[in-house]
Amino acid sequence: MKWKALAALVVVCIGLSGCGLAAAPCRIASAGLKIVPVVGHVAAAPTDACAEVIDP
């Protein structure tokens, strides 16, 4: 039974590697911050970097 769980975990990890789904929270936060006038793009820089690291 342990092997089946491990195999399922490996399949899920391979499926999510490089996937935009994993970077979605960073991209959503970035979009929300960019709405703020004047400082929005500066404040969103860290979340943009986060999304680029997860999904280049």
Side-chain angles (χ1 to χ4, degrees):
M1 193 65 160
K2 290 181 184 179
W3 289 104
K4 288 183 181 181
L6 181 61
L9 181 63
V10 168
V11 168
V12 168
C13 288
I14 290 172
L16 288 178
S17 64
C19 182
L21 181 64
C26 294
R27 297 203 189 276
I28 292 169
S30 176
L33 287 170
K34 287 180 181 175
I35 294 172
V36 178
V38 182
V39 296
H41 288 281
V42 175
T47 55
D48 286 338
C50 165
E52 286 299 317
V53 167
I54 294 172
D55 190 23

